[in-house]
Amino acid sequence: MSKKKIGIIVLLFIGLFLNIKIFLQVQPEKITNIQLQITVMADKIGEYKIYYSETEQFAEEQSVWEVYSNINKNQEMIFLFPESSNYIRIDFPEIEGTVQVSNLKFQYQNKEIELENNWIKQENLSQLTVYREENGIYQIKTEGGDPYIFLDLSEIPFQKYTENANHIKEILLKVGLCLILDSIIVFLILYSKRIAFYYYEIYENRKLIWKLAKNDFKTKFAGSYLGIIWAFIQPIVTILVYWFVFQVGLKNGDVGEVPFALWLMAGLIPWFFFSESLNGATNSMVEYNYLVKKVVFQINILPIIKMLSAFFVHIFFVVFMLIIYACNEYIPDFYTLQLIYYSLCMFLFVLGLSYLTSAIVVFMKDLTQLINIILQIGVWMTPIMWNIEIIPEQFQWIFKINPMYYIVQGYRNSLIYKIGFYENLGYSLYYWILTIIVFYFGTSIFRKLKRHFADLL
Protein backbone atom coordinates (compact mmCIF):
# COMPACT_ATOMS: atom_id res chain seq x y z
CA MET A 1 0.00 0.00 0.00
CA SER A 2 1.35 3.43 -0.96
CA LYS A 3 2.21 6.11 1.59
CA LYS A 4 -0.51 8.36 0.17
CA LYS A 5 -3.22 5.74 0.74
CA ILE A 6 -1.94 5.09 4.25
CA GLY A 7 -2.07 8.83 4.96
CA ILE A 8 -5.64 9.09 3.66
CA ILE A 9 -6.75 6.14 5.82
CA VAL A 10 -5.11 7.67 8.90
CA LEU A 11 -6.85 11.01 8.25
CA LEU A 12 -10.22 9.28 7.85
CA PHE A 13 -9.79 7.36 11.10
CA ILE A 14 -8.78 10.57 12.91
CA GLY A 15 -11.87 12.30 11.50
CA LEU A 16 -14.15 9.44 12.57
CA PHE A 17 -12.63 9.41 16.06
CA LEU A 18 -13.04 13.18 16.49
CA ASN A 19 -16.64 13.11 15.18
CA ILE A 20 -17.55 10.47 17.76
CA LYS A 21 -15.72 12.39 20.48
CA ILE A 22 -17.61 15.59 19.64
CA PHE A 23 -21.00 13.89 19.99
CA LEU A 24 -20.12 11.93 23.13
CA GLN A 25 -18.26 14.72 24.86
CA VAL A 26 -19.96 16.15 27.92
CA GLN A 27 -19.75 19.88 27.52
CA PRO A 28 -18.63 21.81 30.62
CA GLU A 29 -21.43 23.83 32.16
CA LYS A 30 -21.34 27.40 30.96
CA ILE A 31 -22.95 30.04 33.12
CA THR A 32 -24.91 32.50 31.03
CA ASN A 33 -26.40 35.61 32.51
CA ILE A 34 -30.10 36.38 32.53
CA GLN A 35 -30.99 40.03 32.10
CA LEU A 36 -33.86 41.51 34.09
CA GLN A 37 -35.14 44.87 32.87
CA ILE A 38 -37.56 47.02 34.83
CA THR A 39 -38.77 50.63 34.63
CA VAL A 40 -39.12 52.53 37.90
CA MET A 41 -40.58 55.95 38.78
CA ALA A 42 -40.48 56.97 42.47
CA ASP A 43 -40.84 60.01 44.70
CA LYS A 44 -37.53 59.38 46.50
CA ILE A 45 -33.94 58.53 45.63
CA GLY A 46 -32.98 55.02 46.70
CA GLU A 47 -31.20 51.75 46.00
CA TYR A 48 -32.96 48.91 44.17
CA LYS A 49 -31.41 45.48 44.55
CA ILE A 50 -31.88 42.02 43.05
CA TYR A 51 -31.02 38.95 45.14
CA TYR A 52 -30.68 35.64 43.28
CA SER A 53 -30.32 32.08 44.54
CA GLU A 54 -30.81 28.41 43.62
CA THR A 55 -32.69 27.98 46.90
CA GLU A 56 -35.02 30.30 48.81
CA GLN A 57 -32.12 31.49 50.97
CA PHE A 58 -30.58 34.78 49.85
CA ALA A 59 -27.12 36.17 50.68
CA GLU A 60 -25.57 39.60 50.19
CA GLU A 61 -22.79 38.27 47.94
CA GLN A 62 -25.44 37.05 45.49
CA SER A 63 -26.95 40.40 44.66
CA VAL A 64 -26.76 43.24 42.13
CA TRP A 65 -28.05 46.76 42.59
CA GLU A 66 -28.72 50.11 40.93
CA VAL A 67 -29.46 53.55 42.34
CA TYR A 68 -32.64 55.40 41.34
CA SER A 69 -31.72 59.09 41.03
CA ASN A 70 -34.38 60.71 38.81
CA ILE A 71 -37.20 61.66 41.18
CA ASN A 72 -40.66 61.36 39.58
CA LYS A 73 -39.13 60.35 36.24
CA ASN A 74 -38.99 56.95 34.54
CA GLN A 75 -35.62 55.25 34.90
CA GLU A 76 -34.82 51.94 33.24
CA MET A 77 -32.81 49.53 35.37
CA ILE A 78 -31.00 46.43 34.15
CA PHE A 79 -29.80 43.60 36.40
CA LEU A 80 -27.78 40.52 35.41
CA PHE A 81 -27.75 37.22 37.31
CA PRO A 82 -26.78 33.58 36.52
CA GLU A 83 -29.21 31.33 34.65
CA SER A 84 -28.84 28.73 37.41
CA SER A 85 -30.90 30.97 39.71
CA ASN A 86 -34.30 29.49 40.64
CA TYR A 87 -35.50 32.39 42.78
CA ILE A 88 -35.01 36.15 42.81
CA ARG A 89 -36.07 38.92 45.15
CA ILE A 90 -36.60 42.53 44.06
CA ASP A 91 -35.72 44.75 47.02
CA PHE A 92 -37.00 48.34 47.24
CA PRO A 93 -35.44 51.22 49.25
CA GLU A 94 -35.88 50.81 53.00
CA ILE A 95 -37.94 53.99 53.30
CA GLU A 96 -41.62 54.86 53.05
CA GLY A 97 -42.66 56.12 49.65
CA THR A 98 -44.53 55.45 46.43
CA VAL A 99 -43.06 53.62 43.46
CA GLN A 100 -44.40 52.98 39.98
CA VAL A 101 -43.14 49.74 38.40
CA SER A 102 -43.65 48.80 34.73
CA ASN A 103 -42.16 46.97 31.74
CA LEU A 104 -40.65 44.11 33.68
CA LYS A 105 -39.14 41.60 31.25
CA PHE A 106 -36.41 38.97 31.11
CA GLN A 107 -33.88 38.57 28.31
CA TYR A 108 -31.91 35.41 27.57
CA GLN A 109 -29.88 34.62 24.45
CA ASN A 110 -31.22 37.76 22.73
CA LYS A 111 -34.83 36.68 23.33
CA GLU A 112 -37.19 38.75 25.46
CA ILE A 113 -39.79 37.18 27.76
CA GLU A 114 -42.33 39.74 28.92
CA LEU A 115 -44.44 38.81 31.94
CA GLU A 116 -48.19 38.91 32.05
CA ASN A 117 -49.95 41.82 33.73
CA ASN A 118 -50.63 39.89 36.93
CA TRP A 119 -47.05 38.85 37.68
CA ILE A 120 -47.16 40.43 41.18
CA LYS A 121 -48.94 38.11 43.62
CA GLN A 122 -50.07 39.17 47.08
CA GLU A 123 -48.43 36.21 48.82
CA ASN A 124 -45.02 37.18 47.40
CA LEU A 125 -45.00 40.71 48.88
CA SER A 126 -43.25 41.91 52.04
CA GLN A 127 -43.76 45.33 53.67
CA LEU A 128 -45.24 46.91 50.57
CA THR A 129 -48.71 47.27 49.09
CA VAL A 130 -49.91 47.32 45.50
CA TYR A 131 -52.77 49.80 45.53
CA ARG A 132 -53.40 50.10 41.78
CA GLU A 133 -52.64 48.13 38.61
CA GLU A 134 -53.51 49.24 35.10
CA ASN A 135 -52.14 47.81 31.81
CA GLY A 136 -49.08 46.29 33.49
CA ILE A 137 -48.23 49.48 35.43
CA TYR A 138 -48.17 48.93 39.21
CA GLN A 139 -48.50 51.67 41.83
CA ILE A 140 -46.70 50.45 44.96
CA LYS A 141 -46.47 51.91 48.44
CA THR A 142 -43.44 50.84 50.50
CA GLU A 143 -43.69 50.78 54.30
CA GLY A 144 -39.97 51.02 55.18
CA GLY A 145 -38.18 48.15 56.90
CA ASP A 146 -37.33 45.56 54.24
CA PRO A 147 -39.80 45.83 51.33
CA TYR A 148 -39.42 43.31 48.52
CA ILE A 149 -41.19 41.21 45.87
CA PHE A 150 -40.36 37.50 45.74
CA LEU A 151 -40.34 35.69 42.36
CA ASP A 152 -40.22 31.94 41.72
CA LEU A 153 -38.69 31.58 38.24
CA SER A 154 -40.11 28.06 37.85
CA GLU A 155 -43.56 29.68 37.55
CA ILE A 156 -42.41 31.61 34.48
CA PRO A 157 -42.15 30.02 30.96
CA PHE A 158 -38.54 31.12 31.03
CA GLN A 159 -37.18 27.79 32.33
CA LYS A 160 -38.66 25.69 29.50
CA TYR A 161 -37.35 28.14 26.94
CA THR A 162 -33.79 27.99 28.27
CA GLU A 163 -33.75 24.19 28.39
CA ASN A 164 -35.03 23.86 24.82
CA ALA A 165 -32.71 26.59 23.57
CA ASN A 166 -29.68 24.98 25.20
CA HIS A 167 -30.57 21.52 23.84
CA ILE A 168 -31.11 22.73 20.26
CA LYS A 169 -28.03 24.91 20.41
CA GLU A 170 -25.89 21.99 21.62
CA ILE A 171 -27.08 19.73 18.76
CA LEU A 172 -26.53 22.42 16.12
CA LEU A 173 -23.09 23.18 17.55
CA LYS A 174 -22.04 19.52 17.39
CA VAL A 175 -23.34 19.11 13.83
CA GLY A 176 -21.54 22.31 12.80
CA LEU A 177 -18.27 21.18 14.40
CA CYS A 178 -18.44 17.84 12.62
CA LEU A 179 -19.07 19.51 9.25
CA ILE A 180 -16.13 21.86 9.77
CA LEU A 181 -13.88 19.01 10.86
CA ASP A 182 -14.88 16.84 7.89
CA SER A 183 -14.27 19.78 5.52
CA ILE A 184 -10.75 20.16 6.89
CA ILE A 185 -10.02 16.47 6.34
CA VAL A 186 -11.37 16.54 2.76
CA PHE A 187 -9.27 19.64 2.07
CA LEU A 188 -6.12 17.97 3.44
CA ILE A 189 -6.75 14.90 1.29
CA LEU A 190 -7.38 16.88 -1.92
CA TYR A 191 -4.45 19.27 -1.51
CA SER A 192 -2.05 17.07 0.43
CA LYS A 193 0.55 17.17 -2.39
CA ARG A 194 0.70 20.97 -2.49
CA ILE A 195 0.92 21.30 1.32
CA ALA A 196 3.54 18.56 1.52
CA PHE A 197 5.57 20.25 -1.25
CA TYR A 198 5.97 23.48 0.74
CA TYR A 199 6.97 21.67 3.91
CA TYR A 200 9.39 19.50 1.92
CA GLU A 201 11.09 22.62 0.56
CA ILE A 202 11.36 24.01 4.07
CA TYR A 203 12.89 20.77 5.34
CA GLU A 204 15.37 20.53 2.47
CA ASN A 205 16.57 24.11 3.07
CA ARG A 206 16.48 23.98 6.88
CA LYS A 207 20.22 24.68 7.33
CA LEU A 208 20.13 27.63 4.94
CA ILE A 209 16.98 28.99 6.63
CA TRP A 210 18.61 28.75 10.06
CA LYS A 211 21.79 30.46 8.88
CA LEU A 212 20.00 33.31 7.11
CA ALA A 213 17.61 33.83 10.03
CA LYS A 214 20.50 34.21 12.50
CA ASN A 215 22.26 36.57 10.12
CA ASP A 216 19.06 38.62 9.66
CA PHE A 217 18.65 38.90 13.43
CA LYS A 218 22.24 40.09 13.93
CA THR A 219 22.35 42.57 11.04
CA LYS A 220 19.04 44.19 12.02
CA PHE A 221 20.84 46.09 14.81
CA ALA A 222 24.33 46.19 13.31
CA GLY A 223 26.12 49.48 13.90
CA SER A 224 24.23 50.43 17.07
CA TYR A 225 26.14 50.52 20.35
CA LEU A 226 23.82 48.16 22.23
CA GLY A 227 23.23 45.88 19.24
CA ILE A 228 20.58 43.21 19.61
CA ILE A 229 19.72 44.45 23.11
CA TRP A 230 17.46 47.01 21.41
CA ALA A 231 15.26 44.13 20.23
CA PHE A 232 14.34 43.49 23.88
CA ILE A 233 14.33 47.03 25.28
CA GLN A 234 11.54 48.40 23.07
CA PRO A 235 8.92 45.70 23.90
CA ILE A 236 9.69 45.92 27.63
CA VAL A 237 9.28 49.71 27.56
CA THR A 238 5.97 49.28 25.65
CA ILE A 239 4.66 46.88 28.29
CA LEU A 240 5.60 49.29 31.08
CA VAL A 241 3.95 52.23 29.29
CA TYR A 242 0.66 50.36 28.73
CA TRP A 243 0.70 49.09 32.32
CA PHE A 244 1.22 52.62 33.66
CA VAL A 245 -1.50 54.14 31.44
CA PHE A 246 -4.21 51.54 32.13
CA GLN A 247 -3.41 50.49 35.71
CA VAL A 248 -1.99 53.65 37.28
CA GLY A 249 -3.29 56.47 35.07
CA LEU A 250 -6.78 55.40 33.97
CA LYS A 251 -7.24 52.86 36.80
CA ASN A 252 -9.02 50.66 34.27
CA GLY A 253 -7.17 47.41 34.86
CA ASP A 254 -9.95 45.35 36.45
CA VAL A 255 -9.24 41.76 35.36
CA GLY A 256 -10.28 39.97 38.53
CA GLU A 257 -7.76 38.72 41.06
CA VAL A 258 -4.94 38.50 38.50
CA PRO A 259 -2.31 41.27 38.63
CA PHE A 260 -2.95 43.48 35.63
CA ALA A 261 0.73 43.53 34.62
CA LEU A 262 0.76 39.72 34.26
CA TRP A 263 -2.55 39.70 32.39
CA LEU A 264 -1.25 42.42 30.06
CA MET A 265 2.03 40.61 29.33
CA ALA A 266 0.22 37.44 28.28
CA GLY A 267 -1.57 39.47 25.59
CA LEU A 268 1.16 41.82 24.41
CA ILE A 269 3.99 39.29 23.99
CA PRO A 270 2.24 37.17 21.32
CA TRP A 271 1.08 40.38 19.62
CA PHE A 272 4.68 41.62 19.43
CA PHE A 273 5.64 38.48 17.51
CA PHE A 274 2.58 38.66 15.25
CA SER A 275 3.21 42.29 14.38
CA GLU A 276 6.99 41.99 13.91
CA SER A 277 6.87 38.78 11.88
CA LEU A 278 4.06 39.94 9.59
CA ASN A 279 5.82 43.24 8.86
CA GLY A 280 9.14 41.55 8.23
CA ALA A 281 7.80 38.68 6.13
CA THR A 282 5.68 41.04 4.01
CA ASN A 283 8.78 42.99 2.97
CA SER A 284 11.04 39.93 2.63
CA MET A 285 10.94 39.90 -1.21
CA VAL A 286 11.82 43.57 -1.42
CA GLU A 287 14.55 43.37 1.23
CA TYR A 288 16.15 40.26 -0.27
CA ASN A 289 15.61 41.27 -3.90
CA TYR A 290 19.19 40.24 -4.77
CA LEU A 291 18.30 36.66 -3.79
CA VAL A 292 14.96 36.75 -5.63
CA LYS A 293 16.81 37.48 -8.89
CA LYS A 294 18.91 34.34 -8.53
CA VAL A 295 17.40 31.57 -10.62
CA VAL A 296 18.51 28.71 -8.37
CA PHE A 297 17.40 30.24 -5.06
CA GLN A 298 14.18 28.99 -3.44
CA ILE A 299 12.41 32.27 -2.67
CA ASN A 300 9.64 30.38 -0.81
CA ILE A 301 11.85 30.35 2.29
CA LEU A 302 12.32 34.14 2.53
CA PRO A 303 9.15 34.85 4.61
CA ILE A 304 10.17 32.06 7.01
CA ILE A 305 13.59 33.63 7.49
CA LYS A 306 12.05 36.92 8.65
CA MET A 307 9.59 35.08 10.88
CA LEU A 308 12.34 33.01 12.54
CA SER A 309 14.31 36.20 13.14
CA ALA A 310 11.30 37.61 15.03
CA PHE A 311 10.76 34.25 16.77
CA PHE A 312 14.18 34.49 18.48
CA VAL A 313 12.96 37.59 20.33
CA HIS A 314 9.63 35.90 21.06
CA ILE A 315 11.36 32.96 22.75
CA PHE A 316 13.29 35.35 24.98
CA PHE A 317 10.10 37.13 26.03
CA VAL A 318 8.26 33.88 26.72
CA VAL A 319 11.09 32.82 29.07
CA PHE A 320 11.13 36.31 30.61
CA MET A 321 7.35 36.12 31.10
CA LEU A 322 7.55 32.69 32.77
CA ILE A 323 10.13 34.02 35.23
CA ILE A 324 7.93 37.01 36.10
CA TYR A 325 4.92 34.73 36.54
CA ALA A 326 6.92 32.36 38.78
CA CYS A 327 8.01 35.31 40.95
CA ASN A 328 4.30 36.10 41.40
CA GLU A 329 3.50 32.50 42.46
CA TYR A 330 2.14 31.43 39.05
CA ILE A 331 4.41 28.41 38.80
CA PRO A 332 4.74 26.78 35.33
CA ASP A 333 2.86 23.48 35.09
CA PHE A 334 1.37 21.12 32.51
CA TYR A 335 -0.84 23.87 31.06
CA THR A 336 2.24 26.04 30.42
CA LEU A 337 3.31 23.56 27.72
CA GLN A 338 0.35 24.82 25.70
CA LEU A 339 2.43 27.90 24.89
CA ILE A 340 4.25 25.68 22.38
CA TYR A 341 0.92 24.80 20.75
CA TYR A 342 -0.32 28.40 20.60
CA SER A 343 3.05 29.64 19.28
CA LEU A 344 2.85 27.02 16.51
CA CYS A 345 -0.73 28.12 15.73
CA MET A 346 0.38 31.72 15.42
CA PHE A 347 3.47 30.86 13.36
CA LEU A 348 1.49 28.87 10.78
CA PHE A 349 -1.24 31.50 10.49
CA VAL A 350 1.29 34.30 9.93
CA LEU A 351 3.22 32.12 7.48
CA GLY A 352 0.16 31.62 5.29
CA LEU A 353 -0.75 35.31 5.55
CA SER A 354 2.80 36.45 4.76
CA TYR A 355 2.94 34.38 1.55
CA LEU A 356 -0.08 36.39 0.42
CA THR A 357 1.19 39.82 1.51
CA SER A 358 4.81 39.31 0.38
CA ALA A 359 3.59 38.45 -3.11
CA ILE A 360 1.17 41.37 -3.39
CA VAL A 361 3.60 43.97 -1.99
CA VAL A 362 5.92 43.41 -4.97
CA PHE A 363 3.14 44.75 -7.23
CA MET A 364 1.64 47.24 -4.77
CA LYS A 365 4.18 48.88 -2.46
CA ASP A 366 1.42 50.73 -0.58
CA LEU A 367 0.42 47.45 1.05
CA THR A 368 3.20 47.94 3.62
CA GLN A 369 1.61 51.16 4.87
CA LEU A 370 -1.84 49.56 4.82
CA ILE A 371 -0.62 46.66 6.98
CA ASN A 372 0.88 49.11 9.48
CA ILE A 373 -2.49 50.84 9.79
CA ILE A 374 -4.31 47.50 10.18
CA LEU A 375 -1.88 46.45 12.92
CA GLN A 376 -2.41 49.74 14.76
CA ILE A 377 -6.16 49.17 14.69
CA GLY A 378 -5.80 45.45 15.43
CA VAL A 379 -3.94 45.91 18.70
CA TRP A 380 -6.97 47.81 20.04
CA MET A 381 -9.57 45.53 18.44
CA THR A 382 -7.95 42.54 20.14
CA PRO A 383 -8.67 42.26 23.91
CA ILE A 384 -5.04 42.80 24.89
CA MET A 385 -5.22 45.89 27.09
CA TRP A 386 -8.93 45.62 27.92
CA ASN A 387 -11.15 42.81 29.16
CA ILE A 388 -13.67 41.45 26.64
CA GLU A 389 -16.19 41.06 29.49
CA ILE A 390 -16.88 44.80 29.31
CA ILE A 391 -18.52 44.18 25.90
CA PRO A 392 -22.19 43.06 25.96
CA GLU A 393 -22.35 39.31 25.45
CA GLN A 394 -24.32 39.54 22.19
CA PHE A 395 -21.54 41.61 20.58
CA GLN A 396 -18.50 39.68 21.85
CA TRP A 397 -18.46 37.41 18.78
CA ILE A 398 -17.37 40.39 16.67
CA PHE A 399 -14.06 40.46 18.55
CA LYS A 400 -13.75 36.69 18.93
CA ILE A 401 -13.66 36.06 15.17
CA ASN A 402 -10.33 37.88 15.20
CA PRO A 403 -7.82 34.96 15.03
CA MET A 404 -5.45 36.75 17.41
CA TYR A 405 -8.14 36.56 20.10
CA TYR A 406 -7.66 32.77 20.06
CA ILE A 407 -3.90 33.19 20.57
CA VAL A 408 -4.07 35.90 23.23
CA GLN A 409 -6.76 34.09 25.20
CA GLY A 410 -4.80 30.85 24.76
CA TYR A 411 -1.71 32.37 26.38
CA ARG A 412 -3.84 33.59 29.29
CA ASN A 413 -5.61 30.24 29.61
CA SER A 414 -2.22 28.51 29.75
CA LEU A 415 -0.59 30.84 32.27
CA ILE A 416 -3.46 32.18 34.38
CA TYR A 417 -6.77 30.37 34.08
CA LYS A 418 -5.38 26.84 33.52
CA ILE A 419 -7.78 25.90 30.72
CA GLY A 420 -6.82 23.35 28.05
CA PHE A 421 -7.18 24.20 24.37
CA TYR A 422 -9.26 21.01 23.98
CA GLU A 423 -11.92 22.48 26.30
CA ASN A 424 -12.86 24.97 23.58
CA LEU A 425 -12.98 22.58 20.64
CA GLY A 426 -15.35 24.73 18.58
CA TYR A 427 -13.11 27.79 18.51
CA SER A 428 -10.00 25.65 17.99
CA LEU A 429 -11.58 24.16 14.85
CA TYR A 430 -12.57 27.64 13.67
CA TYR A 431 -8.98 28.85 14.04
CA TRP A 432 -7.50 25.90 12.18
CA ILE A 433 -9.96 25.99 9.30
CA LEU A 434 -9.23 29.72 8.94
CA THR A 435 -5.47 29.03 9.05
CA ILE A 436 -5.73 26.33 6.38
CA ILE A 437 -7.80 28.60 4.12
CA VAL A 438 -5.34 31.49 4.54
CA PHE A 439 -2.38 29.17 3.95
CA TYR A 440 -3.97 27.71 0.83
CA PHE A 441 -4.83 31.05 -0.77
CA GLY A 442 -1.54 32.60 0.33
CA THR A 443 0.61 29.86 -1.21
CA SER A 444 -1.56 29.69 -4.34
CA ILE A 445 -1.22 33.41 -5.07
CA PHE A 446 2.49 33.34 -4.19
CA ARG A 447 3.08 30.43 -6.60
CA LYS A 448 1.23 32.20 -9.46
CA LEU A 449 2.96 35.56 -9.01
CA LYS A 450 6.53 34.59 -8.10
CA ARG A 451 7.62 34.22 -11.77
CA HIS A 452 7.17 38.01 -12.11
CA PHE A 453 9.10 39.01 -8.96
CA ALA A 454 12.53 39.25 -10.58
CA ASP A 455 11.24 41.56 -13.33
CA LEU A 456 9.63 44.00 -10.91
CA LEU A 457 12.30 44.16 -8.20
Side-chain angles (χ1 to χ4, degrees):
M1 187 179 294
S2 66
K3 292 182 179 180
K4 181 178 179 180
K5 290 182 179 179
I6 294 174
I8 291 174
I9 293 173
V10 170
L11 282 173
L12 290 174
F13 270 107
I14 292 174
L16 179 62
F17 169 77
L18 291 176
N19 274 267
I20 294 173
K21 184 174 177 61
I22 288 172
F23 271 95
L24 295 182
Q25 182 180 13
V26 178
Q27 297 291 334
E29 182 180 358
K30 181 182 178 182
I31 297 177
T32 305
N33 284 334
I34 300 170
Q35 177 178 295
L36 170 63
Q37 177 182 315
I38 189 170
T39 301
V40 172
M41 183 169 68
D43 61 353
K44 292 183 176 66
I45 294 175
E47 180 182 276
Y48 291 76
K49 185 179 293 187
I50 298 292
Y51 286 92
Y52 53 89
S53 175
E54 295 183 16
T55 66
E56 295 188 31
Q57 302 297 319
F58 298 99
E60 191 67 32
E61 57 268 18
Q62 292 182 309
S63 65
V64 289
W65 55 272
E66 274 203 34
V67 174
Y68 176 80
S69 55
N70 300 314
I71 297 177
N72 294 325
K73 293 183 179 179
N74 282 329
Q75 179 176 327
E76 186 180 275
M77 296 185 178
I78 295 177
F79 305 91
L80 299 176
F81 57 90
E83 68 172 352
S84 58
S85 307
N86 296 320
Y87 306 94
I88 63 171
R89 204 178 81 182
I90 307 175
D91 277 40
F92 291 76
E94 298 176 355
I95 52 177
E96 292 186 11
T98 58
V99 181
Q100 176 181 288
V101 174
S102 60
N103 299 326
L104 186 139
K105 62 184 70 172
F106 290 99
Q107 182 171 320
Y108 179 78
Q109 295 184 345
N110 298 325
K111 298 290 185 180
E112 286 189 354
I113 302 175
E114 194 166 354
L115 300 186
E116 298 178 357
N117 289 344
N118 59 347
W119 63 271
I120 295 182
K121 298 182 179 179
Q122 193 63 38
E123 61 270 21
N124 293 336
L125 306 181
S126 173
Q127 295 184 292
L128 55 80
T129 305
V130 177
Y131 62 89
R132 191 171 68 215
E133 186 276 327
E134 183 178 352
N135 297 326
I137 300 175
Y138 293 83
Q139 304 295 336
I140 297 174
K141 183 175 179 59
T142 60
E143 303 169 4
D146 186 19
Y148 64 81
I149 299 174
F150 175 83
L151 282 179
D152 182 353
L153 297 184
S154 64
E155 298 177 357
I156 303 173
F158 168 76
Q159 289 277 342
K160 292 182 180 179
Y161 167 77
T162 57
E163 290 173 2
N164 293 335
N166 288 336
H167 182 64
I168 294 172
K169 183 178 180 181
E170 182 180 355
I171 293 176
L172 292 176
L173 176 63
K174 289 181 177 180
V175 171
L177 291 178
C178 289
L179 289 175
I180 292 173
L181 178 64
D182 295 338
S183 300
I184 294 174
I185 292 174
V186 170
F187 179 88
L188 291 175
I189 291 173
L190 293 177
Y191 298 97
S192 57
K193 284 186 178 180
R194 183 178 300 179
I195 295 172
F197 173 75
Y198 276 95
Y199 284 106
Y200 177 77
E201 280 193 341
I202 293 171
Y203 178 77
E204 285 293 304
N205 294 277
R206 61 190 183 280
K207 292 183 180 179
L208 178 61
I209 292 173
W210 182 255
K211 182 178 179 181
L212 290 176
K214 289 193 296 183
N215 184 65
D216 181 89
F217 180 70
K218 292 176 182 178
T219 57
K220 189 180 298 183
F221 303 96
S224 60
Y225 183 74
L226 295 179
I228 62 174
I229 296 177
W230 285 113
F232 311 112
I233 291 178
Q234 182 178 353
I236 291 175
V237 171
T238 305
I239 292 172
L240 292 175
V241 169
Y242 282 136
W243 169 81
F244 181 81
V245 170
F246 285 92
Q247 181 72 8
V248 180
L250 299 178
K251 300 185 183 299
N252 194 30
D254 185 13
V255 291
E257 299 179 358
V258 184
F260 182 73
L262 301 185
W263 188 87
L264 178 64
M265 286 178 63
L268 274 178
I269 286 176
W271 180 266
F272 286 152
F273 170 72
F274 174 77
S275 177
E276 178 68 20
S277 60
L278 181 59
N279 263 322
T282 297
N283 295 301
S284 58
M285 300 300 152
V286 177
E287 185 174 341
Y288 287 104
N289 60 80
Y290 58 93
L291 294 177
V292 175
K293 295 175 182 179
K294 290 187 176 181
V295 178
V296 295
F297 189 81
Q298 298 290 340
I299 62 174
N300 296 1
I301 68 174
L302 291 179
I304 302 174
I305 291 170
K306 301 298 291 187
M307 290 180 62
L308 274 179
S309 177
F311 198 69
F312 294 149
V313 179
H314 182 66
I315 292 173
F316 167 82
F317 275 107
V318 168
V319 174
F320 172 75
M321 180 170 59
L322 292 178
I323 294 173
I324 299 297
Y325 268 75
C327 292
N328 285 271
E329 300 182 354
Y330 286 84
I331 308 301
D333 54 13
F334 172 77
Y335 289 100
T336 308
L337 296 176
Q338 292 185 142
L339 294 180
I340 300 174
Y341 164 76
Y342 286 110
S343 295
L344 176 64
C345 291
M346 183 166 48
F347 192 94
L348 292 177
F349 177 77
V350 179
L351 180 59
L353 191 60
S354 63
Y355 275 126
L356 176 65
T357 57
S358 63
I360 295 177
V361 79
V362 176
F363 298 84
M364 189 176 70
K365 299 295 191 299
D366 291 342
L367 181 63
T368 301
Q369 305 304 324
L370 181 62
I371 288 176
N372 287 330
I373 294 173
I374 292 174
L375 289 174
Q376 289 177 9
I377 298 173
V379 73
W380 295 105
M381 292 295 290
T382 307
I384 295 174
M385 290 156 284
W386 51 275
N387 194 341
I388 197 171
E389 296 301 324
I390 66 176
I391 303 295
E393 189 174 355
Q394 62 266 33
F395 300 117
Q396 289 183 10
W397 68 270
I398 298 174
F399 299 91
K400 290 182 178 180
I401 60 175
N402 174 0
M404 277 307 293
Y405 170 81
Y406 178 73
I407 303 299
V408 168
Q409 193 60 33
Y411 271 62
R412 287 171 179 156
N413 288 341
S414 303
L415 296 169
I416 300 172
Y417 305 118
K418 309 303 179 184
I419 299 174
F421 71 92
Y422 47 83
E423 295 183 43
N424 194 1
L425 188 58
Y427 200 71
S428 295
L429 286 176
Y430 161 76
Y431 182 87
W432 280 109
I433 190 67
L434 179 63
T435 299
I436 290 174
I437 291 173
V438 169
F439 190 87
Y440 170 74
F441 280 105
T443 53
S444 296
I445 292 176
F446 185 89
R447 182 168 48 86
K448 291 178 180 179
L449 298 180
K450 69 178 182 179
R451 65 175 71 106
H452 304 292
F453 290 171
D455 298 331
L456 294 172
L457 290 173

